[in-house]
Amino acid sequence: MRVMIMVKVNQDSKGERGAVPTEAEMAPMGKFNEELQKAGVLLDLSGLKPSSAGARVTFNRGKPTVVDGPFTEAKELVAGYWILQVKSKEEAIEWAKRIPAESGGIEAVEIRPFYEMEDLEMEDFAPSPAVDAAKELGKKLPSGAGGKP
């Protein structure tokens, strides 16, 4: 199963203030990332720029409204992520517990499994033309983007 582990920080975190981590702060995270890669579970990872570089699109009755960052009213902000291929939610939790949170000002991480395109009708959705279209689109995406790597 593929899971995304999202890194949650608050608006006072170093990264949200636009400061880049020091070498001493990056080293433990780099070691953790290497462990994920050596174990063969790492599919993708990245840090995200501060919310001041982003935008939020909200919808009121289908009408979009765009608000530029920073998102000062937010209690939690996503600062980065890992995408892992693991055998179970429990395995994902075990990896998440090993994250060197102190090195990046991480307050929490959230683990969310992906819907897998090839299993949509069996596990989550009834068969339909929309499910078939989603599966076909998934086949056209780069490896790992819409289905299993």
Side-chain angles (χ1 to χ4, degrees):
M1 78 187 287
R2 286 183 311 141
V3 298
M4 176 180 277
I5 300 177
M6 293 173 276
V7 176
K8 302 283 187 91
V9 299
N10 66 40
Q11 61 189 353
D12 296 323
S13 72
K14 186 175 182 176
E16 187 59 20
R17 292 190 321 262
V20 295
T22 66
E23 179 62 30
E25 292 167 330
M26 288 180 63
M29 196 63 74
K31 183 175 184 244
F32 175 72
N33 292 337
E34 285 178 19
E35 290 174 15
L36 291 169
Q37 195 253 343
K38 286 179 184 175
V41 298
L42 182 63
L43 298 177
D44 191 15
L45 76 149
S46 191
L48 300 174
K49 290 186 177 184
S51 68
S52 60
R56 179 177 290 153
V57 180
T58 58
F59 298 90
N60 184 1
R61 297 182 185 180
K63 183 178 185 230
T65 301
V66 178
V67 177
D68 287 328
F71 309 126
T72 56
E73 75 287 353
K75 293 184 185 199
E76 290 184 336
L77 296 160
V78 178
Y81 68 90
W82 290 272
I83 298 177
L84 306 181
Q85 179 74 44
V86 293
K87 292 178 181 71
S88 65
K89 181 170 95 172
E90 292 73 25
E91 182 183 356
I93 291 169
E94 288 306 312
W95 279 111
K97 287 165 50 176
R98 295 174 60 186
I99 294 168
E102 68 283 350
S103 69
I106 298 172
E107 289 195 343
V109 296
E110 182 176 332
I111 302 167
R112 302 278 298 276
F114 283 85
Y115 285 114
E116 300 294 354
M117 292 294 183
E118 64 273 4
D119 296 332
L120 283 181
E121 70 270 2
M122 296 181 346
E123 292 182 12
D124 302 303
F125 299 96
S128 73
V131 168
D132 293 341
K135 287 170 66 174
E136 286 304 310
L137 176 62
K139 291 176 185 175
K140 295 175 186 174
L141 296 174
S143 178
K148 294 189 180 193

